[in-house]
Amino acid sequence: MDITIAIDAMGGDHGPHVTIPAVLHAIRHDSQLSIILVGPRDVLEAELAANKAEAGPRLRIHHASEIVAMDESPQSALKNKKDSSMRVAINLVKSGEANACVSAGNTGALMATARFVLKTLPGIDRPAIAGILPTQKGKVYMLDLGANADCTPEHLLQFAIMGAMLVSCVEHKERPTVGLLNIGSEDIKGNEVVKQAGELLRASHLNFYGNIEGNDIYKGTTDVVVCDGFVGNVALKTSEGLAQMVNRFLTQEFKRNWLTKMTALMAMPVLKAFKRRLDHRRYNGATFLGLRGVVVKSHGGADSLAFQYAIRAAAEESRNGVLERITEQLEIEHLQPQLASQEIK
Amino acid sequence: MDITIAIDAMGGDHGPHVTIPAVLHAIRHDSQLSIILVGPRDVLEAELAANKAEAGPRLRIHHASEIVAMDESPQSALKNKKDSSMRVAINLVKSGEANACVSAGNTGALMATARFVLKTLPGIDRPAIAGILPTQKGKVYMLDLGANADCTPEHLLQFAIMGAMLVSCVEHKERPTVGLLNIGSEDIKGNEVVKQAGELLRASHLNFYGNIEGNDIYKGTTDVVVCDGFVGNVALKTSEGLAQMVNRFLTQEFKRNWLTKMTALMAMPVLKAFKRRLDHRRYNGATFLGLRGVVVKSHGGADSLAFQYAIRAAAEESRNGVLERITEQLEIEHLQPQLASQEIK
């Protein structure tokens, strides 16, 4: 299925040096994909030339004169950067010229702008950030990873619906299992919001597994993990910190003396295979779920390979109609007006 | 300084098979330590005999006829097990016969019993569970790890005071730094409870570092990490799950074929050194802070080495007067009646 993705070519720590090589790779490997590069025309043309490429029917340039800084406040981006590469890429989704957009720009500004321009789906109070993590069994989709620090039980139910439909579409699982992140498996465990969310989930039509604990995330106990944005963000960043420490300790031990350095040389293929299994680049591309359009956020520090995964995620979601599936499920759960799905482009 | 520790000898997955060898090791290495083993006299005497040891002036047996099961509800333990090894060990702290107690029994029952028997310190609303985690720089004390799923800003302030005084006593740091676990470093970040806790902490006399994020835990950014019990428990268990997955992937890669198995043999010393740095047994012994007595919880699955660390933690806290230090700091922060410190044994 032909789809078009708008790329905020200037977003992220490396801007077009990363986004353009990733885009060139993506259109070579997906013949039904078209890209609209958004950013200052001269900068993008120069970077294309540096990569021995040029614009064409499947790779258009859409000029945008401004750039949202990585440390810019969402308010400032919304108010002062109306012609930013980020904003214009989102506008292209709104107007229907693009099916989805991808940005490695700053998360707060991207969320605020996407929410302002696209609005939320009927029945969804707040968009959530869904990310992918590796597990012992494969991978898990977790949300919210930080968009909503204070949540109600109803918000958590909405996150569960969105996460389940995302996995259903993208992983082609009929009825993905949904786990509610808690501090014990019994129904009476947890804080008040989570206890009430458990009741809503048990009454829903989702394939609700029940409460899960932190260690279940990486065990791969469920296909979807639901939590508020505070807890999700802490769990994600704690994991990043632990992974960095493990990596550093392992490196230090292998570099301790000439004998351990020799061992490291011999163990290199094994260590590389090990690191490949945990390579965060393969899981790059967090989805902003609940908007009237597909928006994928790449990690700001992503390299070209990682950015390709973010583009691929946006393409998969668009092709598999994740927004329509969410809307259908909201109707099944009686969480939105019956005809609202017709409003969605 | 001579101290006496009451040991719930029957607690944990392995009971006296683990607790008694650990106790024998502890009294051999700490000449100023006395132990009261609590449990059925015949069982304990048999296990001592099996270890070629017997009771004496520094190793007494205090009979208790019942045992709290690892899956028993706190309510049942409180109501039905008044002569349990757990309850009697705590009673010995209450009566002053022991300076502290250590149990590997079930967390919920231990917390409920300790709180019922000992009560909280004046100025402390709820006890918290403080644990130690390894960091890139050394170690960090984190609380609450799961006792309190719903917290107010005042609770978080109390946790910060207790954690800082614990580190001050046990690690002999004059003014340990305290970080508030959040989802961004700016003051405006986070949920409502954390934002208000930040204000209380900035107004306190503690060495408040400010907001930290999940990855700061393992970076070792601060000496103390403060969070509510829901977030702390999720962060801890998520870490356990990630560590298990990393360990499993590493093992799988080294076992892939005969060549990688050969590599594993050669790399064994390095891998052992690496694992030793992350060995959770060295961090065993979570402290129940905020009670009128020192109570240390060992991991239920602890082996003898791990249980020794829990005994050592209890000894250190008693010797360094952590309860008195908490009480003093509560007075400095005007969080308790001026004369309350005199009530503490």
Side-chain angles (χ1 to χ4, degrees), chain A residues 136 213 237 248 277, chain B residues 136 213 237 248 252 277:
Chain A
Q136 293 203 21
E213 297 187 70
K237 295 227 172 112
R248 188 168 163 186
R277 291 180 73 168
Chain B
Q136 294 204 21
E213 298 187 70
K237 294 223 173 115
R248 188 168 163 186
Q252 281 176 350
R277 290 180 75 166

Side-chain angles (χ1 to χ4, degrees), chain B residues 123-189:
Chain B
I124 297 295
D125 297 318
R126 299 167 172 195
I129 302 175
I132 307 176
L133 294 170
T135 74
Q136 294 204 21
K137 293 181 186 166
K139 57 186 168 180
V140 63
Y141 287 73
M142 183 159 160
L143 72 169
D144 173 32
L145 294 182
N148 308 284
D150 284 293
C151 288
T152 63
E154 290 73 22
H155 294 146
L156 295 180
L157 171 62
Q158 293 168 17
F159 298 170
I161 292 168
M162 298 194 294
M165 293 307 105
L166 176 64
V167 173
S168 161
C169 286
V170 177
E171 302 291 333
H172 309 292
K173 289 197 177 180
E174 191 67 42
R175 281 173 60 70
T177 50
V178 175
L180 179 63
L181 191 56
N182 204 332
I183 59 172
S185 54
E186 306 89 342
D187 293 350
I188 54 147
K189 287 278 186 176

Side-chain angles (χ1 to χ4, degrees), chain B residues 36-89:
Chain B
I36 307 175
L37 287 172
V38 185
R41 182 176 296 277
D42 51 346
V43 174
L44 301 187
E45 282 175 346
E47 188 64 31
L48 281 173
N51 283 276
K52 298 186 176 52
E54 56 185 16
R58 283 180 57 214
L59 179 60
R60 282 174 288 152
I61 291 178
H62 190 110
H63 179 72
S65 60
E66 296 172 315
I67 298 168
V68 174
M70 288 306 275
D71 58 354
E72 192 160 348
S73 78
Q75 292 73 23
S76 160
L78 258 183
K79 200 174 152 199
N80 306 321
K81 297 285 178 72
K82 291 187 182 156
D83 196 39
S84 70
S85 55
M86 180 188 282
R87 175 89 168 243
V88 173

Side-chain angles (χ1 to χ4, degrees), chain B residues 6-264:
Chain B
I7 303 285
D8 167 12
M10 306 307 291
D13 300 339
H14 314 293
H17 298 313
V18 153
T19 55
I20 286 184
V23 159
L24 292 172
H25 189 276
I27 55 174
R28 267 199 303 275
H29 286 78
D30 183 344
S31 62
Q32 296 184 297
L33 174 67
S34 295
I35 295 284
I36 307 175
L37 287 172
V38 185
R41 182 176 296 277
D42 51 346
V43 174
L44 301 187
E45 282 175 346
E47 188 64 31
L48 281 173
N51 283 276
K52 298 186 176 52
E54 56 185 16
R58 283 180 57 214
L59 179 60
R60 282 174 288 152
I61 291 178
H62 190 110
H63 179 72
S65 60
E66 296 172 315
I67 298 168
V68 174
M70 288 306 275
D71 58 354
E72 192 160 348
S73 78
Q75 292 73 23
S76 160
L78 258 183
K79 200 174 152 199
N80 306 321
K81 297 285 178 72
K82 291 187 182 156
D83 196 39
S84 70
S85 55
M86 180 188 282
R87 175 89 168 243
V88 173
I90 296 170
N91 287 343
L92 292 171
V93 177
K94 169 82 176 169
S95 70
E97 290 174 73
N99 302 92
C101 78
V102 179
S103 174
N106 100 51
T107 310
L110 184 64
M111 178 55 93
T113 308
R115 202 171 162 178
F116 178 79
V117 172
L118 297 172
K119 315 296 180 210
T120 52
L121 288 169
I124 297 295
D125 297 318
R126 299 167 172 195
I129 302 175
I132 307 176
L133 294 170
T135 74
Q136 294 204 21
K137 293 181 186 166
K139 57 186 168 180
V140 63
Y141 287 73
M142 183 159 160
L143 72 169
D144 173 32
L145 294 182
N148 308 284
D150 284 293
C151 288
T152 63
E154 290 73 22
H155 294 146
L156 295 180
L157 171 62
Q158 293 168 17
F159 298 170
I161 292 168
M162 298 194 294
M165 293 307 105
L166 176 64
V167 173
S168 161
C169 286
V170 177
E171 302 291 333
H172 309 292
K173 289 197 177 180
E174 191 67 42
R175 281 173 60 70
T177 50
V178 175
L180 179 63
L181 191 56
N182 204 332
I183 59 172
S185 54
E186 306 89 342
D187 293 350
I188 54 147
K189 287 278 186 176
N191 58 34
E192 285 310 315
V193 170
V194 166
K195 278 187 234 176
Q196 289 177 37
E199 286 177 30
L200 294 178
L201 282 162
R202 276 186 289 281
S204 78
H205 299 81
L206 297 172
N207 187 5
F208 181 50
Y209 173 90
N211 290 332
I212 59 165
E213 298 187 70
N215 52 342
D216 287 303
I217 300 170
Y218 293 104
K219 269 190 196 164
T221 305
T222 57
D223 298 313
V224 180
V225 172
V226 171
C227 56
D228 72 46
F230 192 97
V231 170
N233 188 275
V234 167
L236 183 72
K237 294 223 173 115
T238 299
S239 298
E240 284 176 11
L242 177 56
Q244 277 166 8
M245 183 176 75
V246 164
N247 190 38
R248 188 168 163 186
F249 283 0
L250 199 56
T251 306
Q252 281 176 350
E253 290 304 330
F254 272 113
K255 284 191 175 168
R256 193 165 287 283
N257 56 47
W258 68 267
L259 194 65
T260 59
K261 281 180 191 164
M262 288 284 289
T263 313

Side-chain angles (χ1 to χ4, degrees), chain A residues 98-206:
Chain A
N99 300 92
C101 77
V102 179
S103 174
N106 100 51
T107 310
L110 184 65
M111 179 55 94
T113 307
R115 202 172 162 177
F116 179 80
V117 171
L118 297 173
K119 315 297 179 210
T120 52
L121 288 170
I124 296 295
D125 296 319
R126 299 167 172 196
I129 302 175
I132 307 175
L133 293 170
T135 75
Q136 293 203 21
K137 293 181 186 166
K139 56 186 168 180
V140 63
Y141 287 73
M142 182 160 162
L143 72 169
D144 173 32
L145 294 182
N148 307 285
D150 284 292
C151 288
T152 64
E154 289 74 21
H155 294 147
L156 295 180
L157 172 62
Q158 293 168 19
F159 297 170
I161 292 168
M162 298 194 294
M165 292 308 105
L166 176 65
V167 173
S168 161
C169 285
V170 177
E171 302 291 332
H172 309 292
K173 288 197 177 179
E174 191 67 40
R175 280 174 60 71
T177 51
V178 175
L180 179 63
L181 191 56
N182 203 332
I183 60 173
S185 53
E186 306 90 344
D187 293 350
I188 55 148
K189 287 278 185 174
N191 57 34
E192 286 310 315
V193 170
V194 166
K195 278 187 235 176
Q196 289 177 38
E199 288 177 27
L200 294 178
L201 282 162
R202 277 187 289 281
S204 78
H205 299 81
L206 297 172

